[in-house]
Amino acid sequence: MFSAVSNLGAGGTQNLTLSDTANGVLYGLFAVTGLVSGGIANVLGPKITLFIGTLGYALYVGALWCYQTQGTSWFLIFAGALLGISAALLWSAQGAIMMSYPLEKDKGKAFGVFWAIFQFGSLIGALIALGINIRSGSLGAVSTSTYIAFLVIIFVGVASAFLVLPPNQVIRSDGTIVKLQAASKPHVEVIGMLHTLKDWRLLALLPMFFASNYFYAYQGSINTARFDAPTRALNAVLEGAGAIVGALLIGFFVLDGKRFGRRTRGYMGLAVVVVLTIAVWACGLAWQVTYTRDSPDYVLYKINYKDAAYRTKGPLFFFYYFGDACYQALAYWIMSALTNDPFTLARFAGMYKAVQSAGSAGSFGMDAVSTPWLNELLASWILMLASFPLAFLVLRTIKETNYEDEQVVYVDDVQKDSVEQGTPEADSGSIEKEVIAPEVKA
């Protein structure tokens, strides 16, 4: 829902400067919190972390609604700050679940399914906005009923956090347990984070992390400036559809294809992302050079979906997010190929979101001071292109499997050891109580 309302341009407020300021604060605190959010998620466990992490989204959308009706701009900035903190927790726990719970052969599919569900929420929100605003004509801001619909769905998501199991209660289809421990300890996380910062492969991926959301500010600014409210809602629908299709295609058919080895699939995924990034952003550049922020009104007129000019603009927004899904999929897949340990991957996910959010904060800061749109486009594009050679170097180190190097524990072994020690036979719901024996066999 946050993505849906953001895709409407300026959060639906029509105040681009305020939206940029709130987002700049949001992503700035997101970046700072992300440095430690992986460790916090490991200590608290996924259930509590996800619950706390989702609350900030409800507050932020409520603040947008409050601004729409009361004009309280300070509350929107404050809500953005709290969302930055809570979102780091949410995405660290989510990243650990998505990258560690599946089997190695299914990690690309796991991202595809997650991103499709994630973007389906955005798509539903955009469809709600489109249905409400399609007849509004020149209405600039999003209607109150749109925010109410968003909040109702968000609170359903908040409640769903309590359905998530910890890693020690999750048994994969091959009988292995994701992790023997339900949670980590603070001092272990401090040491783990230091080891994470020493891993050259993660450091080499930092440019990719930084670039992965940098372009959202530019695309949101263009959406707000160049399209009326119904068309912005339609663009959001196309963005959601493009992201869903892109994530499923690259996740199922490229990154988890059955014909090739894991490293080769990584190379193929990188090739797909490189081609998409060059082709789609070249089309965006061709449109951008035709106008600037200072162009006269007859050039910067608000485009409606019925206009002939829109026929080439709608597909651009579809493929912007098609390419974004592929880019994000590759980043997550590379991280998940480096290890299977959920605690390590939670730290990776926190670092990913921290650096990503730092990039987002910078990009919204650029847009808030009315940086020329051409400069914003080129910055976004060049950052992505510069990240690809480093990603290639990391891909070269990927092994066909990490099972041989990491402890793999089967639930049958846990149950056997429990019986031998005189404890009741374990089941999938009580693994947490019965995996405390240090001599569990790998």
Side-chain angles (χ1 to χ4, degrees):
M1 295 302 99
F2 172 80
S3 296
V5 74
S6 297
N7 290 345
L8 297 178
T13 64
Q14 278 294 97
N15 188 333
L16 189 58
T17 300
L18 175 62
S19 177
D20 283 339
T21 302
N23 277 286
V25 172
L26 188 164
Y27 285 109
L29 284 173
F30 197 159
V32 174
T33 309
L35 296 174
V36 296
S37 60
I40 295 173
N42 289 338
V43 172
L44 296 180
K47 184 182 300 184
I48 299 301
T49 305
L50 289 172
F51 172 71
I52 297 174
T54 51
L55 292 177
Y57 290 90
L59 179 65
Y60 186 78
V61 174
L64 287 171
W65 180 19
C66 186
Y67 174 77
Q68 188 79 330
T69 57
Q70 306 296 326
T72 51
S73 57
W74 70 267
F75 185 52
L76 180 59
I77 298 173
F78 175 73
L82 292 183
L83 175 56
I85 296 171
S86 69
L89 298 176
L90 172 69
W91 282 90
S92 293
Q94 173 276 325
I97 291 170
M98 181 182 68
M99 293 189 286
S100 67
Y101 283 24
L103 294 167
E104 286 183 345
K105 67 182 182 64
D106 297 325
K107 291 191 175 185
K109 300 183 186 73
F111 174 85
V113 170
F114 158 71
W115 203 256
I117 295 172
F118 168 50
Q119 294 294 342
F120 184 70
S122 178
L123 179 64
I124 292 297
L127 287 171
I128 292 171
L130 181 62
I132 292 173
N133 294 311
I134 194 67
R135 296 183 180 180
S136 62
S138 59
L139 179 64
V142 175
S143 61
T144 295
S145 54
T146 303
Y147 292 117
I148 296 175
F150 286 170
L151 281 171
V152 170
I153 299 174
I154 283 175
F155 280 116
V156 174
V158 171
S160 71
F162 289 101
L163 301 176
V164 177
L165 290 175
N168 68 316
Q169 293 185 24
V170 176
I171 303 171
R172 301 187 184 98
S173 60
D174 66 347
T176 58
I177 302 172
V178 173
K179 186 77 174 180
L180 286 175
Q181 295 82 24
S184 182
K185 297 180 180 179
H187 71 278
V188 174
E189 288 307 308
V190 172
I191 296 173
M193 181 54 68
L194 293 176
H195 285 299
T196 298
L197 295 175
K198 293 179 181 179
D199 191 336
W200 74 266
R201 298 172 302 175
L202 190 70
L203 298 178
L205 291 174
L206 294 185
M208 192 175 195
F209 298 170
F210 189 85
S212 57
N213 273 10
Y214 196 89
F215 43 82
Y216 284 172
Y218 165 74
Q219 291 169 354
S221 181
I222 295 302
N223 201 13
T224 304
R226 297 308 317 271
F227 302 97
D228 60 19
T231 310
R232 294 201 304 271
L234 178 58
N235 285 343
V237 172
L238 293 173
E239 290 166 357
I244 291 171
V245 174
L248 292 176
L249 286 180
I250 194 170
F252 278 76
F253 300 107
V254 180
L255 297 176
D256 279 355
K258 297 180 179 180
R259 294 185 178 183
F260 304 98
R262 185 155 74 159
R263 188 182 301 173
T264 301
R265 285 182 271 125
Y267 290 151
M268 292 170 60
L270 179 61
V272 168
V273 173
V274 170
V275 171
L276 281 172
T277 302
I278 293 174
V280 174
W281 284 83
C283 293
L285 178 62
W287 180 36
Q288 183 58 72
V289 295
T290 63
Y291 64 92
T292 68
R293 290 183 185 268
D294 300 322
S295 294
D297 292 341
Y298 68 86
V299 175
L300 292 179
Y301 69 95
K302 297 281 187 178
I303 300 174
N304 183 268
Y305 64 93
K306 297 179 182 179
D307 297 340
Y310 185 70
R311 295 173 186 171
T312 57
K313 309 304 182 296
L316 179 62
F317 280 85
F318 176 91
F319 283 105
Y320 267 147
Y321 278 72
F322 184 101
D324 171 43
C326 294
Y327 191 95
Q328 305 267 3
L330 181 64
Y332 272 112
W333 187 88
I334 293 174
M335 286 187 290
S336 69
L338 299 179
T339 180
N340 295 319
D341 180 70
F343 293 169
T344 301
L345 288 171
R347 299 180 203 116
F348 282 7
M351 182 65 67
Y352 174 64
K353 300 305 292 187
V355 178
Q356 182 187 71
S357 300
S360 296
S363 65
F364 279 107
M366 284 182 64
D367 196 65
V369 296
S370 299
T371 301
W373 283 321
L374 180 60
N375 292 3
E376 292 187 26
L377 182 150
L378 291 175
S380 302
W381 195 11
I382 291 172
L383 283 171
M384 286 187 286
L385 294 175
S387 71
F388 295 140
L390 293 172
F392 175 77
L393 293 178
V394 178
L395 282 170
R396 293 183 61 188
T397 69
I398 289 178
K399 300 177 181 179
E400 289 304 312
T401 179
N402 291 316
Y403 292 140
E404 298 174 355
D405 302 324
E406 300 177 352
Q407 184 186 36
V408 178
V409 178
Y410 289 85
V411 66
D412 290 341
D413 292 333
V414 174
Q415 293 170 338
K416 179 181 177 181
D417 285 349
S418 298
V419 172
E420 290 175 351
Q421 295 173 38
T423 57
E425 186 174 356
D427 57 50
S428 61
S430 61
I431 294 298
E432 180 178 1
K433 299 178 182 179
E434 301 176 352
V435 296
I436 57 175
E439 65 270 27
V440 170
K441 298 175 183 179

